[in-house]
Coordinates of all heavy atoms in Angstrom, one line a residue:
M27 N -107.3 -162.1 155.5 CA -106.0 -162.6 156.1 C -105.8 -161.8 157.4 O -105.8 -160.6 157.4 CB -104.9 -162.4 155.1 CG -103.6 -163.0 155.5 SD -102.3 -162.7 154.3 CE -102.6 -164.1 153.2
E28 N -105.6 -162.6 158.4 CA -105.4 -162.0 159.7 C -103.9 -161.5 159.8 O -103.0 -161.9 159.1 CB -105.7 -163.0 160.8 CG -107.1 -163.3 160.9 CD -107.4 -164.2 162.1 OE1 -106.6 -164.1 163.1 OE2 -108.3 -165.0 162.0
W29 N -103.7 -160.6 160.8 CA -102.4 -160.1 161.0 C -101.3 -161.2 161.3 O -100.2 -161.1 160.8 CB -102.4 -159.1 162.2 CG -101.1 -158.5 162.5 CD1 -100.5 -157.4 161.8 CD2 -100.1 -159.0 163.4 NE1 -99.3 -157.2 162.3 CE2 -99.0 -158.1 163.3 CE3 -100.0 -160.0 164.3 CZ2 -97.8 -158.2 164.0 CZ3 -98.8 -160.1 165.1 CH2 -97.8 -159.3 164.9
K30 N -101.7 -162.2 162.0 CA -100.8 -163.3 162.3 C -100.3 -164.0 161.0 O -99.1 -164.3 160.8 CB -101.4 -164.4 163.2 CG -101.6 -163.9 164.6 CD -102.3 -164.9 165.4 CE -102.6 -164.4 166.8 NZ -103.3 -165.4 167.6
E31 N -101.2 -164.1 160.0 CA -100.9 -164.8 158.8 C -99.9 -163.9 158.0 O -99.0 -164.4 157.4 CB -102.1 -165.1 158.0 CG -103.0 -166.1 158.6 CD -104.3 -166.3 157.8 OE1 -104.2 -166.7 156.6 OE2 -105.4 -166.2 158.3
V32 N -100.2 -162.6 157.9 CA -99.3 -161.7 157.2 C -98.0 -161.7 157.8 O -96.9 -161.7 157.1 CB -99.9 -160.2 157.2 CG1 -99.0 -159.2 156.7 CG2 -101.2 -160.2 156.5
S33 N -97.9 -161.7 159.2 CA -96.6 -161.7 159.9 C -95.9 -163.0 159.5 O -94.7 -163.0 159.3 CB -96.8 -161.6 161.4 OG -95.6 -161.7 162.0
A34 N -96.6 -164.1 159.5 CA -96.0 -165.4 159.1 C -95.4 -165.4 157.7 O -94.3 -165.9 157.5 CB -97.0 -166.5 159.3
L35 N -96.1 -164.7 156.8 CA -95.6 -164.6 155.4 C -94.3 -163.8 155.4 O -93.3 -164.2 154.7 CB -96.6 -164.0 154.5 CG -97.8 -164.8 154.1 CD1 -98.8 -164.0 153.3 CD2 -97.4 -166.0 153.3
K36 N -94.2 -162.7 156.1 CA -93.0 -161.9 156.2 C -91.9 -162.7 156.7 O -90.7 -162.6 156.3 CB -93.2 -160.6 157.0 CG -94.1 -159.6 156.3 CD -94.3 -158.4 157.1 CE -95.2 -157.4 156.4 NZ -95.4 -156.2 157.2
N37 N -92.1 -163.5 157.8 CA -91.1 -164.3 158.4 C -90.6 -165.4 157.5 O -89.5 -165.9 157.7 CB -91.6 -164.9 159.7 CG -91.8 -163.8 160.7 OD1 -91.2 -162.8 160.7 ND2 -92.6 -164.1 161.7
Q38 N -91.4 -165.8 156.5 CA -91.0 -166.9 155.6 C -90.0 -166.4 154.5 O -89.5 -167.1 153.7 CB -92.2 -167.5 154.9 CG -93.0 -168.3 155.9 CD -94.3 -168.9 155.2 OE1 -94.5 -168.7 154.0 NE2 -95.1 -169.6 155.9
G39 N -89.8 -165.1 154.4 CA -88.9 -164.5 153.5 C -89.5 -164.2 152.1 O -88.7 -164.1 151.1
I40 N -90.8 -164.0 152.0 CA -91.4 -163.7 150.8 C -91.2 -162.2 150.5 O -91.5 -161.3 151.3 CB -92.9 -164.0 150.7 CG1 -93.1 -165.5 150.9 CG2 -93.5 -163.5 149.5 CD1 -94.5 -165.9 151.0
K41 N -90.6 -161.8 149.4 CA -90.4 -160.4 149.0 C -91.3 -160.1 147.8 O -91.3 -160.9 146.8 CB -88.9 -160.2 148.6 CG -88.0 -160.3 149.8 CD -86.6 -160.0 149.3 CE -85.6 -160.1 150.4 NZ -84.2 -159.9 149.9
K42 N -92.0 -159.0 147.9 CA -92.9 -158.6 146.8 C -92.3 -157.4 146.1 O -91.9 -156.4 146.7 CB -94.2 -158.3 147.3 CG -95.3 -158.0 146.2 CD -96.7 -157.9 146.8 CE -97.7 -157.7 145.8 NZ -99.0 -157.6 146.3
H43 N -92.1 -157.5 144.7 CA -91.6 -156.5 143.9 C -92.7 -156.0 143.0 O -93.4 -156.8 142.3 CB -90.4 -157.0 143.0 CG -89.3 -157.5 143.8 ND1 -88.2 -156.7 144.2 CD2 -89.1 -158.7 144.3 CE1 -87.4 -157.5 144.8 NE2 -87.8 -158.7 144.9
T44 N -92.9 -154.7 143.0 CA -93.9 -154.1 142.0 C -93.2 -153.7 140.8 O -92.3 -152.8 140.8 CB -94.6 -152.9 142.7 OG1 -95.3 -153.3 143.8 CG2 -95.6 -152.3 141.7
I45 N -93.5 -154.3 139.7 CA -92.8 -154.0 138.4 C -93.5 -152.7 137.8 O -92.7 -151.8 137.4 CB -93.0 -155.2 137.4 CG1 -92.4 -156.5 138.0 CG2 -92.3 -154.8 136.1 CD1 -90.9 -156.4 138.4
Y46 N -94.8 -152.7 137.8 CA -95.5 -151.4 137.4 C -96.8 -151.5 138.1 O -97.4 -152.5 138.4 CB -95.6 -151.2 135.9 CG -96.4 -152.2 135.2 CD1 -97.8 -152.0 135.1 CD2 -95.9 -153.2 134.4 CE1 -98.6 -152.9 134.4 CE2 -96.6 -154.0 133.7 CZ -98.0 -153.9 133.7 OH -98.8 -154.8 133.0
K47 N -97.4 -150.3 138.3 CA -98.7 -150.2 138.8 C -99.3 -148.9 138.3 O -98.9 -147.8 138.7 CB -98.7 -150.1 140.4 CG -100.1 -150.1 141.0 CD -100.1 -150.2 142.5 CE -101.5 -150.2 143.0 NZ -101.5 -150.4 144.4
K48 N -100.2 -149.0 137.4 CA -100.9 -147.9 136.8 C -102.1 -147.4 137.6 O -102.3 -146.2 137.8 CB -101.3 -148.2 135.3 CG -100.1 -148.5 134.4 CD -100.6 -148.8 133.0 CE -99.4 -149.1 132.2 NZ -99.7 -149.6 130.9
D49 N -102.8 -148.4 138.2 CA -103.9 -148.1 139.1 C -104.2 -149.5 139.7 O -103.5 -150.4 139.6 CB -105.2 -147.6 138.3 CG -105.6 -148.4 137.1 OD1 -105.5 -149.6 137.2 OD2 -106.0 -147.8 136.1
K50 N -105.4 -149.5 140.5 CA -105.6 -150.8 141.2 C -106.0 -151.9 140.3 O -106.1 -153.1 140.7 CB -106.6 -150.6 142.3 CG -108.0 -150.3 141.8 CD -109.0 -150.1 143.0 CE -110.4 -149.9 142.6 NZ -111.3 -149.8 143.7
W51 N -106.3 -151.7 139.0 CA -106.7 -152.7 138.1 C -105.6 -153.1 137.1 O -105.8 -154.1 136.3 CB -107.9 -152.3 137.3 CG -109.1 -152.0 138.3 CD1 -109.6 -150.8 138.5 CD2 -109.8 -152.9 139.1 NE1 -110.6 -150.9 139.4 CE2 -110.7 -152.2 139.8 CE3 -109.7 -154.3 139.3 CZ2 -111.6 -152.8 140.7 CZ3 -110.6 -154.9 140.2 CH2 -111.5 -154.2 140.8
N52 N -104.5 -152.3 137.0 CA -103.5 -152.6 136.0 C -102.1 -152.6 136.7 O -101.6 -151.5 136.9 CB -103.6 -151.6 134.8 CG -104.8 -151.7 134.1 OD1 -105.0 -152.6 133.3 ND2 -105.8 -150.8 134.3
M53 N -101.6 -153.8 137.0 CA -100.3 -153.8 137.7 C -99.7 -155.2 137.4 O -100.3 -156.1 137.0 CB -100.5 -153.6 139.2 CG -101.3 -154.7 139.9 SD -101.5 -154.5 141.6 CE -102.9 -153.3 141.6
L54 N -98.4 -155.2 137.7 CA -97.6 -156.5 137.6 C -96.7 -156.5 138.8 O -96.0 -155.6 139.0 CB -96.8 -156.5 136.3 CG -96.3 -157.8 135.8 CD1 -96.3 -157.9 134.3 CD2 -94.9 -158.0 136.3
T55 N -96.8 -157.6 139.5 CA -95.9 -157.8 140.7 C -95.2 -159.2 140.6 O -95.7 -160.1 139.9 CB -96.7 -157.8 142.0 OG1 -97.7 -158.9 142.0 CG2 -97.4 -156.5 142.2
V56 N -94.1 -159.3 141.3 CA -93.4 -160.6 141.4 C -93.1 -160.8 142.8 O -92.6 -160.0 143.5 CB -92.0 -160.5 140.6 CG1 -91.3 -161.8 140.8 CG2 -92.2 -160.3 139.1
E57 N -93.5 -162.0 143.3 CA -93.2 -162.4 144.7 C -92.1 -163.4 144.6 O -92.1 -164.4 143.9 CB -94.4 -163.0 145.3 CG -95.6 -162.1 145.5 CD -96.8 -162.8 146.1 OE1 -96.7 -164.0 146.5 OE2 -97.9 -162.1 146.1
V58 N -91.0 -163.2 145.4 CA -89.9 -164.1 145.5 C -90.1 -164.9 146.8 O -90.1 -164.4 147.9 CB -88.6 -163.4 145.5 CG1 -87.4 -164.4 145.6 CG2 -88.4 -162.5 144.3
N59 N -90.2 -166.2 146.6 CA -90.4 -167.1 147.8 C -89.4 -168.2 147.6 O -89.6 -169.3 147.0 CB -91.8 -167.7 147.7 CG -92.1 -168.6 148.9 OD1 -91.3 -168.6 149.9 ND2 -93.3 -169.2 149.0
G60 N -88.2 -168.0 148.2 CA -87.1 -168.9 148.0 C -86.7 -168.9 146.6 O -86.3 -167.9 146.0
K61 N -86.7 -170.1 146.0 CA -86.3 -170.2 144.6 C -87.5 -169.9 143.6 O -87.3 -169.7 142.4 CB -85.8 -171.6 144.3 CG -84.5 -172.0 144.9 CD -84.0 -173.3 144.5 CE -82.7 -173.7 145.1 NZ -82.2 -175.0 144.7
Q62 N -88.7 -169.9 144.2 CA -89.9 -169.8 143.4 C -90.2 -168.3 143.1 O -90.2 -167.5 144.1 CB -91.0 -170.4 144.1 CG -92.2 -170.6 143.3 CD -93.3 -171.4 144.0 OE1 -93.6 -171.1 145.2 NE2 -93.8 -172.4 143.4
L63 N -90.5 -167.9 141.9 CA -90.9 -166.6 141.5 C -92.3 -166.6 141.0 O -92.6 -167.4 140.1 CB -90.0 -166.0 140.4 CG -88.5 -166.0 140.8 CD1 -87.7 -166.1 139.5 CD2 -88.2 -164.7 141.5
I64 N -93.2 -165.9 141.7 CA -94.6 -165.9 141.3 C -95.0 -164.5 140.7 O -94.9 -163.5 141.4 CB -95.5 -166.2 142.5 CG1 -95.1 -167.5 143.2 CG2 -97.0 -166.2 142.1 CD1 -95.6 -167.7 144.5
L65 N -95.3 -164.5 139.5 CA -95.6 -163.3 138.7 C -97.1 -163.2 138.6 O -97.7 -164.1 138.1 CB -94.9 -163.4 137.4 CG -95.0 -162.1 136.5 CD1 -93.7 -162.0 135.7 CD2 -96.1 -162.1 135.6
R66 N -97.6 -162.0 139.0 CA -99.1 -161.8 138.9 C -99.3 -160.5 138.1 O -98.8 -159.4 138.4 CB -99.7 -161.5 140.3 CG -99.6 -162.7 141.2 CD -100.3 -162.5 142.5 NE -99.9 -163.4 143.5 CZ -100.3 -164.6 143.6 NH1 -101.1 -165.1 142.8 NH2 -99.8 -165.4 144.6
E67 N -100.0 -160.7 137.0 CA -100.3 -159.6 136.1 C -101.8 -159.4 136.2 O -102.6 -160.3 135.9 CB -99.9 -160.0 134.7 CG -100.0 -158.8 133.7 CD -99.4 -159.1 132.4 OE1 -99.1 -160.3 132.0 OE2 -99.1 -158.2 131.6
I68 N -102.2 -158.2 136.7 CA -103.6 -157.9 136.8 C -104.0 -156.8 135.8 O -103.3 -155.8 135.7 CB -103.9 -157.4 138.3 CG1 -103.5 -158.5 139.3 CG2 -105.4 -157.0 138.4 CD1 -103.5 -158.0 140.7
S69 N -105.0 -157.1 135.1 CA -105.5 -156.2 134.0 C -107.0 -156.0 134.0 O -107.7 -156.9 134.3 CB -105.0 -156.7 132.6 OG -105.7 -156.1 131.6
D70 N -107.4 -154.8 133.7 CA -108.8 -154.5 133.6 C -109.5 -155.3 132.4 O -110.7 -155.4 132.3 CB -109.2 -153.0 133.6 CG -108.5 -152.3 132.5 OD1 -107.8 -152.9 131.7 OD2 -108.7 -151.1 132.4
Q71 N -108.6 -155.7 131.5 CA -109.1 -156.4 130.3 C -109.2 -157.9 130.5 O -110.2 -158.6 130.1 CB -108.2 -156.2 129.1 CG -108.2 -154.7 128.7 CD -107.2 -154.5 127.5 OE1 -106.5 -155.4 127.2 NE2 -107.2 -153.3 127.0
W72 N -108.2 -158.5 131.2 CA -108.1 -160.0 131.3 C -108.3 -160.5 132.7 O -108.4 -161.7 132.9 CB -106.7 -160.5 130.8 CG -106.2 -159.9 129.6 CD1 -106.7 -159.8 128.4 CD2 -104.9 -159.2 129.6 NE1 -105.9 -159.1 127.6 CE2 -104.8 -158.7 128.3 CE3 -103.9 -158.9 130.5 CZ2 -103.7 -158.0 127.8 CZ3 -102.8 -158.2 130.0 CH2 -102.7 -157.8 128.7
G73 N -108.3 -159.7 133.7 CA -108.4 -160.1 135.1 C -107.0 -160.4 135.6 O -106.0 -159.8 135.2
E74 N -106.8 -161.5 136.4 CA -105.5 -161.8 136.9 C -104.9 -163.0 136.2 O -105.6 -164.0 136.0 CB -105.6 -162.1 138.4 CG -104.2 -162.4 139.0 CD -104.3 -162.6 140.5 OE1 -105.2 -162.0 141.2 OE2 -103.4 -163.3 141.1
D75 N -103.7 -162.9 135.8 CA -102.9 -164.0 135.2 C -101.7 -164.2 136.1 O -101.0 -163.3 136.4 CB -102.5 -163.5 133.8 CG -102.2 -164.7 132.9 OD1 -102.4 -165.9 133.3 OD2 -101.7 -164.5 131.8
C76 N -101.5 -165.5 136.4 CA -100.4 -165.8 137.4 C -99.5 -166.8 136.7 O -99.9 -167.8 136.1 CB -101.0 -166.4 138.6 SG -99.9 -166.8 139.9
H77 N -98.2 -166.6 136.8 CA -97.2 -167.5 136.3 C -96.2 -167.8 137.4 O -95.8 -166.9 138.2 CB -96.4 -166.8 135.2 CG -97.3 -166.3 134.1 ND1 -97.7 -167.1 133.0 CD2 -97.8 -165.1 133.8 CE1 -98.4 -166.4 132.2 NE2 -98.5 -165.2 132.6
T78 N -95.8 -169.0 137.5 CA -94.8 -169.4 138.5 C -93.5 -169.9 137.8 O -93.6 -170.7 136.9 CB -95.3 -170.6 139.4 OG1 -96.5 -170.1 140.0 CG2 -94.3 -171.0 140.4
F79 N -92.4 -169.4 138.2 CA -91.1 -169.7 137.6 C -90.2 -170.3 138.7 O -90.3 -169.9 139.8 CB -90.5 -168.5 137.0 CG -91.3 -167.8 135.9 CD1 -92.0 -166.6 136.2 CD2 -91.4 -168.3 134.7 CE1 -92.8 -166.0 135.3 CE2 -92.2 -167.7 133.7 CZ -92.9 -166.6 134.0
L80 N -89.3 -171.2 138.3 CA -88.4 -171.8 139.2 C -87.0 -171.2 139.1 O -86.1 -171.6 139.9 CB -88.4 -173.3 139.0 CG -89.7 -174.0 139.2 CD1 -89.6 -175.5 138.9 CD2 -90.2 -173.8 140.6
S81 N -86.8 -170.3 138.2 CA -85.5 -169.6 138.1 C -85.7 -168.2 137.5 O -86.6 -168.0 136.8 CB -84.5 -170.4 137.3 OG -84.9 -170.4 135.9
R82 N -84.7 -167.4 137.8 CA -84.7 -166.0 137.2 C -84.6 -166.1 135.6 O -85.2 -165.4 134.9 CB -83.7 -165.1 137.8 CG -84.2 -164.6 139.1 CD -83.1 -163.7 139.8 NE -83.6 -163.1 141.0 CZ -83.9 -163.7 142.1 NH1 -83.7 -165.0 142.3 NH2 -84.4 -163.0 143.2
P83 N -83.6 -166.9 135.1 CA -83.5 -167.0 133.6 C -84.8 -167.5 133.0 O -85.2 -167.0 131.9 CB -82.4 -168.1 133.4 CG -81.6 -168.0 134.7 CD -82.6 -167.7 135.8
E84 N -85.6 -168.4 133.6 CA -86.9 -168.8 133.1 C -87.8 -167.6 133.1 O -88.5 -167.4 132.1 CB -87.4 -169.9 133.9 CG -88.8 -170.5 133.4 CD -89.3 -171.5 134.4 OE1 -88.8 -171.7 135.5 OE2 -90.3 -172.1 134.0
M85 N -87.9 -166.8 134.1 CA -88.7 -165.7 134.2 C -88.3 -164.6 133.1 O -89.2 -164.1 132.4 CB -88.7 -165.0 135.6 CG -89.6 -163.8 135.7 SD -89.4 -162.9 137.2 CE -87.8 -162.2 137.1
M86 N -87.0 -164.4 133.0 CA -86.6 -163.4 132.1 C -86.9 -163.8 130.6 O -87.1 -162.9 129.8 CB -85.1 -163.1 132.3 CG -84.8 -162.3 133.5 SD -85.7 -160.8 133.8 CE -85.1 -159.8 132.5
H87 N -86.8 -165.1 130.3 CA -87.2 -165.6 129.0 C -88.7 -165.2 128.7 O -89.0 -164.7 127.7 CB -87.0 -167.1 128.9 CG -87.5 -167.7 127.6 ND1 -86.8 -167.5 126.4 CD2 -88.6 -168.4 127.3 CE1 -87.5 -168.1 125.5 NE2 -88.6 -168.6 126.0
W88 N -89.6 -165.4 129.7 CA -91.0 -165.0 129.6 C -91.1 -163.5 129.4 O -91.8 -163.0 128.5 CB -91.8 -165.5 130.8 CG -93.2 -165.1 130.7 CD1 -94.2 -165.9 130.1 CD2 -93.8 -163.9 131.2 NE1 -95.4 -165.2 130.2 CE2 -95.2 -164.0 130.9 CE3 -93.4 -162.8 131.8 CZ2 -96.1 -163.0 131.2 CZ3 -94.3 -161.8 132.2 CH2 -95.6 -161.9 131.9
V89 N -90.4 -162.8 130.2 CA -90.4 -161.3 130.1 C -90.0 -160.8 128.7 O -90.6 -159.9 128.2 CB -89.5 -160.7 131.2 CG1 -89.3 -159.2 131.0 CG2 -90.0 -161.0 132.6
N90 N -88.9 -161.4 128.2 CA -88.4 -160.9 126.9 C -89.5 -161.2 125.8 O -89.5 -160.5 124.8 CB -87.1 -161.6 126.6 CG -86.0 -160.9 127.3 OD1 -85.9 -159.7 127.5 ND2 -85.1 -161.7 127.8
E91 N -90.2 -162.3 125.9 CA -91.3 -162.6 125.0 C -92.5 -161.7 125.2 O -93.1 -161.2 124.2 CB -91.6 -164.1 125.0 CG -90.4 -164.9 124.7 CD -90.8 -166.2 123.9 OE1 -92.0 -166.4 123.7 OE2 -89.9 -166.9 123.5
R92 N -92.9 -161.6 126.4 CA -94.1 -160.8 126.8 C -93.9 -159.3 126.4 O -94.8 -158.6 126.0 CB -94.4 -161.0 128.2 CG -95.5 -160.0 128.8 CD -96.8 -160.2 128.2 NE -97.8 -159.4 128.9 CZ -98.0 -158.1 128.6 NH1 -97.3 -157.5 127.7 NH2 -99.0 -157.4 129.2
F93 N -92.7 -158.8 126.7 CA -92.4 -157.4 126.5 C -91.4 -157.1 125.3 O -90.6 -156.3 125.4 CB -91.9 -156.7 127.8 CG -92.9 -156.7 128.9 CD1 -92.9 -157.7 129.9 CD2 -93.9 -155.8 128.9 CE1 -93.8 -157.7 130.9 CE2 -94.9 -155.8 129.9 CZ -94.8 -156.7 130.9
S94 N -91.6 -157.9 124.3 CA -90.7 -157.8 123.1 C -91.0 -156.4 122.5 O -92.1 -155.9 122.6 CB -91.0 -158.9 122.1 OG -92.2 -158.8 121.5
K95 N -90.0 -155.9 121.8 CA -90.1 -154.6 121.2 C -91.2 -154.5 120.2 O -91.9 -153.5 120.0 CB -88.8 -154.2 120.5 CG -87.7 -153.8 121.5 CD -86.4 -153.3 120.8 CE -85.4 -153.0 121.8 NZ -84.2 -152.5 121.2
E96 N -91.4 -155.6 119.4 CA -92.4 -155.7 118.4 C -93.8 -155.7 119.0 O -94.7 -155.1 118.4 CB -92.2 -157.0 117.6 CG -90.9 -157.1 116.8 CD -89.8 -157.5 117.7 OE1 -90.0 -158.3 118.7 OE2 -88.6 -157.1 117.4
R97 N -94.0 -156.3 120.1 CA -95.4 -156.4 120.7 C -95.7 -155.3 121.7 O -96.9 -155.1 122.1 CB -95.5 -157.8 121.4 CG -95.5 -158.9 120.4 CD -95.6 -160.2 121.1 NE -96.7 -160.3 122.1 CZ -96.7 -161.2 123.0 NH1 -95.9 -162.2 123.1 NH2 -97.7 -161.2 123.9
F98 N -94.7 -154.6 122.3 CA -95.0 -153.7 123.3 C -95.7 -152.4 122.8 O -95.3 -151.8 121.9 CB -93.6 -153.3 124.0 CG -93.8 -152.4 125.2 CD1 -94.4 -153.0 126.4 CD2 -93.5 -151.1 125.2 CE1 -94.6 -152.2 127.5 CE2 -93.7 -150.3 126.4 CZ -94.2 -150.9 127.5
E99 N -96.8 -152.1 123.5 CA -97.6 -150.9 123.1 C -97.2 -149.8 124.1 O -97.9 -149.6 125.1 CB -99.1 -151.2 123.2 CG -99.5 -152.3 122.1 CD -100.9 -152.6 122.2 OE1 -101.7 -152.0 123.0 OE2 -101.3 -153.6 121.5
G100 N -96.2 -149.1 123.9 CA -95.8 -148.0 124.7 C -94.4 -147.5 124.2 O -93.9 -147.9 123.2
T101 N -93.8 -146.6 125.0 CA -92.6 -146.0 124.5 C -91.4 -146.9 124.9 O -91.5 -147.8 125.7 CB -92.4 -144.6 125.2 OG1 -92.2 -144.8 126.6 CG2 -93.5 -143.7 124.9
D102 N -90.3 -146.6 124.2 CA -89.1 -147.4 124.5 C -88.6 -147.2 126.0 O -88.2 -148.1 126.6 CB -87.9 -147.0 123.6 CG -88.1 -147.5 122.2 OD1 -88.9 -148.5 122.0 OD2 -87.5 -146.9 121.3
E103 N -88.9 -146.0 126.5 CA -88.5 -145.7 127.9 C -89.4 -146.5 128.9 O -88.9 -147.0 129.9 CB -88.7 -144.2 128.2 CG -87.7 -143.3 127.5 CD -88.0 -143.0 126.0 OE1 -89.2 -143.2 125.6 OE2 -87.1 -142.6 125.3
E104 N -90.7 -146.6 128.6 CA -91.6 -147.4 129.4 C -91.1 -148.9 129.4 O -91.0 -149.5 130.5 CB -93.0 -147.3 128.9 CG -93.7 -146.0 129.2 CD -95.0 -145.9 128.6 OE1 -95.2 -146.5 127.4 OE2 -95.9 -145.3 129.2
R105 N -90.8 -149.4 128.2 CA -90.4 -150.8 128.1 C -89.1 -151.0 128.9 O -88.9 -152.0 129.6 CB -90.2 -151.2 126.7 CG -89.8 -152.6 126.5 CD -89.5 -153.0 125.0 NE -89.0 -154.3 124.9 CZ -87.8 -154.7 125.1 NH1 -86.9 -153.8 125.3 NH2 -87.4 -156.0 125.0
E106 N -88.1 -150.1 128.7 CA -86.8 -150.2 129.4 C -87.0 -150.2 130.9 O -86.3 -150.9 131.6 CB -85.8 -149.2 128.9 CG -84.4 -149.4 129.4 CD -83.9 -150.8 129.2 OE1 -84.1 -151.3 128.1 OE2 -83.2 -151.3 130.1
S107 N -87.9 -149.3 131.4 CA -88.2 -149.2 132.8 C -88.7 -150.5 133.3 O -88.3 -151.0 134.4 CB -89.2 -148.1 133.1 OG -89.6 -148.0 134.4
I108 N -89.6 -151.2 132.6 CA -90.2 -152.5 133.0 C -89.1 -153.5 133.0 O -88.9 -154.3 134.0 CB -91.3 -152.9 132.1 CG1 -92.5 -152.0 132.3 CG2 -91.7 -154.3 132.3 CD1 -93.6 -152.1 131.3
M109 N -88.3 -153.5 132.0 CA -87.2 -154.5 131.9 C -86.2 -154.4 133.0 O -85.7 -155.3 133.6 CB -86.5 -154.4 130.5 CG -87.3 -154.7 129.3 SD -88.1 -156.3 129.3 CE -86.7 -157.3 128.8
E110 N -85.9 -153.1 133.4 CA -84.9 -152.9 134.5 C -85.5 -153.3 135.8 O -84.8 -153.9 136.7 CB -84.6 -151.4 134.5 CG -83.5 -151.0 135.6 CD -82.2 -151.8 135.4 OE1 -81.8 -152.1 134.3 OE2 -81.6 -152.1 136.5
A111 N -86.8 -153.1 136.0 CA -87.5 -153.5 137.2 C -87.4 -155.1 137.4 O -87.2 -155.6 138.5 CB -88.9 -153.1 137.2
F112 N -87.5 -155.8 136.3 CA -87.4 -157.2 136.3 C -86.0 -157.6 136.6 O -85.7 -158.6 137.3 CB -87.9 -157.9 135.0 CG -89.3 -158.2 134.9 CD1 -90.1 -157.4 134.1 CD2 -89.9 -159.2 135.7 CE1 -91.5 -157.7 134.0 CE2 -91.3 -159.4 135.6 CZ -92.1 -158.7 134.8
R113 N -85.0 -156.9 136.1 CA -83.6 -157.3 136.3 C -83.3 -157.1 137.8 O -82.4 -157.8 138.3 CB -82.7 -156.4 135.5 CG -82.7 -156.8 134.0 CD -81.7 -155.9 133.2 NE -82.1 -155.9 131.9 CZ -82.6 -154.8 131.2 NH1 -82.7 -153.6 131.9 NH2 -82.9 -154.8 130.0
Q114 N -84.0 -156.2 138.5 CA -83.7 -155.9 139.9 C -84.3 -157.0 140.9 O -84.0 -157.0 142.0 CB -84.3 -154.5 140.3 CG -83.6 -153.4 139.6 CD -82.1 -153.3 139.8 OE1 -81.7 -153.4 141.0 NE2 -81.4 -153.1 138.8
V115 N -85.2 -157.9 140.3 CA -85.8 -158.9 141.1 C -84.8 -159.9 141.5 O -84.0 -160.3 140.8 CB -87.0 -159.6 140.4 CG1 -87.5 -160.8 141.1 CG2 -88.1 -158.6 140.1

């Protein structure tokens, strides 16, 4: 991607939020492009998984299922930190 293209993306109002980043292979980001929310989950186990949502409530529904207390493999503090990062999007 050339500098002109990157500049054009910034001018279009795309905001990128990092939800978590453990290393270059394990991260989750959300790009806000107008009403569209593009969630990218990169994992050393599964590769890249991309989800597109048309509203924040739709994204939060996915988040609550993906990071449910029963399925989350981590501490309550880690889960709450992830949930708070999503609320800030």
Side-chain angles (χ1 to χ4, degrees):
M27 187 178 273
E28 291 185 29
W29 181 82
K30 291 178 184 177
E31 292 177 59
V32 172
S33 180
L35 285 176
K36 288 182 181 178
N37 291 336
Q38 290 177 3
I40 297 174
K41 293 182 182 177
K42 186 173 181 178
H43 300 266
T44 301
I45 304 302
Y46 67 78
K47 183 174 182 174
K48 296 179 182 176
D49 53 35
K50 68 180 185 176
W51 301 110
N52 295 284
M53 67 180 81
L54 195 146
T55 62
V56 177
E57 294 175 11
V58 180
N59 185 6
K61 291 182 178 181
Q62 193 175 49
L63 301 152
I64 303 164
L65 186 146
R66 297 182 198 284
E67 190 170 16
I68 302 170
S69 165
D70 58 1
Q71 294 175 356
W72 320 301
E74 182 175 331
D75 200 6
C76 184
H77 304 277
T78 302
F79 303 101
L80 298 177
S81 69
R82 282 178 170 74
E84 181 184 9
M85 178 186 72
M86 290 307 293
H87 175 74
W88 180 88
V89 168
N90 285 319
E91 297 217 355
R92 168 65 176 82
F93 295 101
S94 67
K95 288 184 181 184
E96 297 80 30
R97 292 178 46 197
F98 186 71
E99 296 177 7
T101 66
D102 287 340
E103 291 80 18
E104 289 173 323
R105 180 182 177 278
E106 188 52 41
S107 174
I108 290 170
M109 298 302 283
E110 184 57 33
F112 273 111
R113 287 185 206 109
Q114 298 299 317
V115 171

